[in-house]
Amino acid sequence: MRIRMKHLWVSLAAVTSSFAMAGAQATDWDMPTPYGDSNFHTVNIRQFAEDVKASTDGELNITVHSSGSLIKHPEIKNSVRRGLVPMGELIMSRLANEDPLFEVDSVPYLASNYDEAWKLWQASKDILAKRLEGQRLKLLFAVPWPPQGIYTKFPVETGEELQGVKMRAYNKSSEHLAELLGAIPTQVEVPDIPTAFGTGRVDAMITSPSTGANTRAWDYLTNFNHAQLWLPKNMVIVNARAFAKLPENVQAAVEEAAAEAEKRGWEASKEETDAKIAIMRENGIDIAEPSDALEKRLKAVGETMTAEWLERAGPDGQALLDAYRKQ
């Protein structure tokens, strides 16, 4: 009898161990991102993935697919929403056509330095998270690009020089800014920038020092005006159902790693600005600050675009702007 009871306890222990192992079985997630491995956003996200793996003892493994290799940038958000992939990264202002609130960080001179950009993020992230929740998406964190400037093959002193120039754009705001300056906007993704300049598809662009240095801007243009128009953010989102299926301890680990990634990413962005401007200067790019005439012209365009954005965004946009300005 004692032998049978001993065998029974051994069997129960084996079954219990089996269930415990099944409960701790690793979950593997694929995560598409738009930018290359050397981009500071990608570096930060890879660290986020490593942090999640370490803090969950391998219960959640996130494989980062950079440079649009798994899913192209324009399709990342909908792919996460539909559950084709559980999470992904995209530039927030890509969603401006479906909701103007996602464009708030790309209104010229509304927030043109890191302190202002952080305050704007604090005023906007809750309402943006709720917008995403309505699409079965969860916002994890967001990190800004360095301030956007103007790249050309010639000096820009007043803005009149941009009349009729084919200008690379990447979101609704950069398109409209180009139009208001008399330029001709053309959508071009980051990996295609050198080719677009080389083939004459574009002759100017609005983007960050990071993108300029990473795409070797000195090979296809000569001038960068550090206009600091806005600081657009990339955001990391996760499919809400996929997140809900994770054990509570894993969910907590993901959110903790996300908070660290956001903090780390903002600091990396600040460092990126100075480092990449220095690299461009070392490689022969003429770095300039806006003249009084150019700054006046750009700020006038910014006022126009702010008024237009408020008209599109309605009461929610006004409430967001009021909350930002009260800080």
Short mmCIF file of all heavy atoms in Angstrom, two decimals, residues 289-316:
data_model
loop_
_atom_site.label_atom_id
_atom_site.label_comp_id
_atom_site.label_asym_id
_atom_site.label_seq_id
_atom_site.Cartn_x
_atom_site.Cartn_y
_atom_site.Cartn_z
N GLU A 289 21.76 77.85 -39.10
CA GLU A 289 20.56 78.17 -38.32
C GLU A 289 19.67 79.06 -39.19
O GLU A 289 20.16 79.77 -40.07
CB GLU A 289 20.94 78.89 -37.03
CG GLU A 289 21.82 78.09 -36.08
CD GLU A 289 21.10 76.90 -35.47
OE1 GLU A 289 19.87 77.01 -35.25
OE2 GLU A 289 21.75 75.88 -35.21
N PRO A 290 18.36 79.05 -38.94
CA PRO A 290 17.47 79.88 -39.76
C PRO A 290 17.80 81.38 -39.62
O PRO A 290 18.05 81.86 -38.51
CB PRO A 290 16.08 79.59 -39.20
CG PRO A 290 16.20 78.29 -38.49
CD PRO A 290 17.60 78.25 -37.96
N SER A 291 17.81 82.08 -40.73
CA SER A 291 17.93 83.53 -40.70
C SER A 291 16.64 84.11 -40.12
O SER A 291 15.62 83.41 -39.99
CB SER A 291 18.14 84.06 -42.12
OG SER A 291 16.96 83.81 -42.90
N ASP A 292 16.66 85.38 -39.78
CA ASP A 292 15.45 86.03 -39.25
C ASP A 292 14.31 85.93 -40.26
O ASP A 292 13.16 85.68 -39.89
CB ASP A 292 15.73 87.49 -38.91
CG ASP A 292 16.65 87.65 -37.70
OD1 ASP A 292 16.79 86.67 -36.94
OD2 ASP A 292 17.22 88.75 -37.54
N ALA A 293 14.65 86.12 -41.53
CA ALA A 293 13.62 86.08 -42.57
C ALA A 293 13.02 84.69 -42.71
O ALA A 293 11.80 84.54 -42.84
CB ALA A 293 14.21 86.54 -43.90
N LEU A 294 13.88 83.67 -42.67
CA LEU A 294 13.38 82.31 -42.81
C LEU A 294 12.56 81.91 -41.59
O LEU A 294 11.49 81.29 -41.72
CB LEU A 294 14.55 81.33 -42.99
CG LEU A 294 14.16 79.86 -43.11
CD1 LEU A 294 13.23 79.62 -44.29
CD2 LEU A 294 15.41 78.98 -43.21
N GLU A 295 13.04 82.27 -40.39
CA GLU A 295 12.30 81.92 -39.18
C GLU A 295 10.92 82.59 -39.18
O GLU A 295 9.93 81.96 -38.80
CB GLU A 295 13.09 82.36 -37.95
CG GLU A 295 12.44 81.93 -36.64
CD GLU A 295 13.30 82.22 -35.43
OE1 GLU A 295 14.34 82.90 -35.58
OE2 GLU A 295 12.94 81.77 -34.34
N LYS A 296 10.87 83.84 -39.61
CA LYS A 296 9.58 84.54 -39.68
C LYS A 296 8.63 83.85 -40.64
O LYS A 296 7.45 83.65 -40.35
CB LYS A 296 9.82 85.99 -40.12
CG LYS A 296 8.54 86.83 -40.18
CD LYS A 296 8.87 88.26 -40.59
CE LYS A 296 7.60 89.11 -40.66
NZ LYS A 296 7.90 90.51 -41.07
N ARG A 297 9.17 83.42 -41.78
CA ARG A 297 8.34 82.74 -42.79
C ARG A 297 7.85 81.39 -42.24
O ARG A 297 6.66 81.04 -42.38
CB ARG A 297 9.18 82.52 -44.05
CG ARG A 297 8.48 81.72 -45.16
CD ARG A 297 7.55 82.60 -45.96
NE ARG A 297 6.83 81.84 -46.96
CZ ARG A 297 7.32 81.53 -48.16
NH1 ARG A 297 8.55 81.91 -48.50
NH2 ARG A 297 6.59 80.85 -49.02
N LEU A 298 8.73 80.64 -41.62
CA LEU A 298 8.35 79.32 -41.12
C LEU A 298 7.35 79.42 -39.97
O LEU A 298 6.42 78.61 -39.87
CB LEU A 298 9.60 78.57 -40.66
CG LEU A 298 10.58 78.15 -41.76
CD1 LEU A 298 11.85 77.55 -41.15
CD2 LEU A 298 9.94 77.15 -42.72
N LYS A 299 7.52 80.42 -39.10
CA LYS A 299 6.59 80.57 -37.99
C LYS A 299 5.20 81.03 -38.47
O LYS A 299 4.18 80.64 -37.89
CB LYS A 299 7.15 81.53 -36.95
CG LYS A 299 8.29 80.90 -36.15
CD LYS A 299 8.72 81.75 -34.97
CE LYS A 299 9.74 80.99 -34.12
NZ LYS A 299 10.21 81.75 -32.96
N ALA A 300 5.17 81.81 -39.52
CA ALA A 300 3.89 82.19 -40.11
C ALA A 300 3.18 80.96 -40.67
O ALA A 300 1.96 80.79 -40.50
CB ALA A 300 4.10 83.24 -41.20
N VAL A 301 3.95 80.09 -41.32
CA VAL A 301 3.38 78.83 -41.82
C VAL A 301 2.90 77.98 -40.64
O VAL A 301 1.83 77.36 -40.69
CB VAL A 301 4.43 78.06 -42.66
CG1 VAL A 301 3.96 76.64 -42.93
CG2 VAL A 301 4.71 78.80 -43.96
N GLY A 302 3.69 77.97 -39.55
CA GLY A 302 3.30 77.22 -38.36
C GLY A 302 1.98 77.70 -37.78
O GLY A 302 1.14 76.90 -37.36
N GLU A 303 1.78 79.01 -37.73
CA GLU A 303 0.53 79.56 -37.21
C GLU A 303 -0.65 79.13 -38.09
O GLU A 303 -1.72 78.78 -37.58
CB GLU A 303 0.63 81.08 -37.14
CG GLU A 303 1.57 81.57 -36.06
CD GLU A 303 1.77 83.08 -36.09
OE1 GLU A 303 1.12 83.73 -36.94
OE2 GLU A 303 2.56 83.61 -35.28
N THR A 304 -0.44 79.15 -39.39
CA THR A 304 -1.49 78.71 -40.32
C THR A 304 -1.82 77.25 -40.09
O THR A 304 -3.00 76.86 -40.00
CB THR A 304 -1.03 78.92 -41.78
OG1 THR A 304 -0.84 80.31 -42.01
CG2 THR A 304 -2.07 78.37 -42.75
N MET A 305 -0.80 76.42 -39.95
CA MET A 305 -1.02 74.99 -39.78
C MET A 305 -1.62 74.65 -38.41
O MET A 305 -2.39 73.70 -38.28
CB MET A 305 0.28 74.23 -40.02
CG MET A 305 0.73 74.26 -41.47
SD MET A 305 2.28 73.36 -41.81
CE MET A 305 1.81 71.67 -41.42
N THR A 306 -1.27 75.44 -37.39
CA THR A 306 -1.88 75.23 -36.08
C THR A 306 -3.38 75.50 -36.14
O THR A 306 -4.20 74.72 -35.61
CB THR A 306 -1.23 76.14 -35.02
OG1 THR A 306 0.15 75.82 -34.91
CG2 THR A 306 -1.89 75.96 -33.65
N ALA A 307 -3.76 76.61 -36.78
CA ALA A 307 -5.18 76.95 -36.91
C ALA A 307 -5.92 75.88 -37.72
O ALA A 307 -7.04 75.48 -37.36
CB ALA A 307 -5.32 78.32 -37.58
N GLU A 308 -5.30 75.40 -38.78
CA GLU A 308 -5.92 74.35 -39.60
C GLU A 308 -6.07 73.05 -38.81
O GLU A 308 -7.09 72.35 -38.92
CB GLU A 308 -5.09 74.12 -40.86
CG GLU A 308 -5.11 75.30 -41.83
CD GLU A 308 -4.17 75.10 -43.00
OE1 GLU A 308 -3.28 74.22 -42.92
OE2 GLU A 308 -4.31 75.83 -44.00
N TRP A 309 -5.02 72.72 -38.02
CA TRP A 309 -5.09 71.50 -37.22
C TRP A 309 -6.21 71.58 -36.19
O TRP A 309 -6.95 70.62 -36.00
CB TRP A 309 -3.75 71.28 -36.51
CG TRP A 309 -3.78 70.07 -35.62
CD1 TRP A 309 -3.66 68.77 -36.01
CD2 TRP A 309 -3.99 70.06 -34.20
NE1 TRP A 309 -3.77 67.94 -34.91
CE2 TRP A 309 -3.98 68.70 -33.80
CE3 TRP A 309 -4.18 71.05 -33.25
CZ2 TRP A 309 -4.16 68.33 -32.47
CZ3 TRP A 309 -4.35 70.68 -31.93
CH2 TRP A 309 -4.34 69.32 -31.54
N LEU A 310 -6.35 72.73 -35.54
CA LEU A 310 -7.42 72.89 -34.54
C LEU A 310 -8.80 72.75 -35.18
O LEU A 310 -9.71 72.18 -34.58
CB LEU A 310 -7.30 74.25 -33.86
CG LEU A 310 -6.30 74.33 -32.71
CD1 LEU A 310 -6.11 75.77 -32.25
CD2 LEU A 310 -6.77 73.46 -31.54
N GLU A 311 -8.94 73.24 -36.38
CA GLU A 311 -10.22 73.12 -37.07
C GLU A 311 -10.55 71.66 -37.35
O GLU A 311 -11.70 71.22 -37.20
CB GLU A 311 -10.19 73.92 -38.38
CG GLU A 311 -11.52 73.95 -39.12
CD GLU A 311 -11.48 74.84 -40.34
OE1 GLU A 311 -10.52 75.61 -40.51
OE2 GLU A 311 -12.44 74.75 -41.15
N ARG A 312 -9.53 70.88 -37.73
CA ARG A 312 -9.75 69.46 -37.99
C ARG A 312 -9.95 68.66 -36.71
O ARG A 312 -10.76 67.74 -36.65
CB ARG A 312 -8.56 68.86 -38.77
CG ARG A 312 -8.39 69.40 -40.16
CD ARG A 312 -7.42 68.54 -40.97
NE ARG A 312 -6.14 68.35 -40.32
CZ ARG A 312 -5.12 69.20 -40.39
NH1 ARG A 312 -5.25 70.32 -41.08
NH2 ARG A 312 -3.98 68.95 -39.78
N ALA A 313 -9.18 69.01 -35.67
CA ALA A 313 -9.19 68.23 -34.43
C ALA A 313 -10.39 68.53 -33.55
O ALA A 313 -10.74 67.71 -32.69
CB ALA A 313 -7.89 68.47 -33.66
N GLY A 314 -11.01 69.69 -33.72
CA GLY A 314 -12.23 70.01 -32.99
C GLY A 314 -12.01 70.20 -31.49
O GLY A 314 -10.90 70.52 -31.04
N PRO A 315 -13.06 69.98 -30.69
CA PRO A 315 -12.97 70.21 -29.24
C PRO A 315 -11.89 69.39 -28.55
O PRO A 315 -11.25 69.88 -27.62
CB PRO A 315 -14.37 69.81 -28.74
CG PRO A 315 -15.27 69.98 -29.93
CD PRO A 315 -14.43 69.62 -31.12
N ASP A 316 -11.69 68.15 -28.99
CA ASP A 316 -10.65 67.33 -28.37
C ASP A 316 -9.26 67.93 -28.62
O ASP A 316 -8.39 67.91 -27.74
CB ASP A 316 -10.69 65.90 -28.90
CG ASP A 316 -11.87 65.10 -28.35
OD1 ASP A 316 -12.42 65.52 -27.31
OD2 ASP A 316 -12.23 64.09 -28.96
#
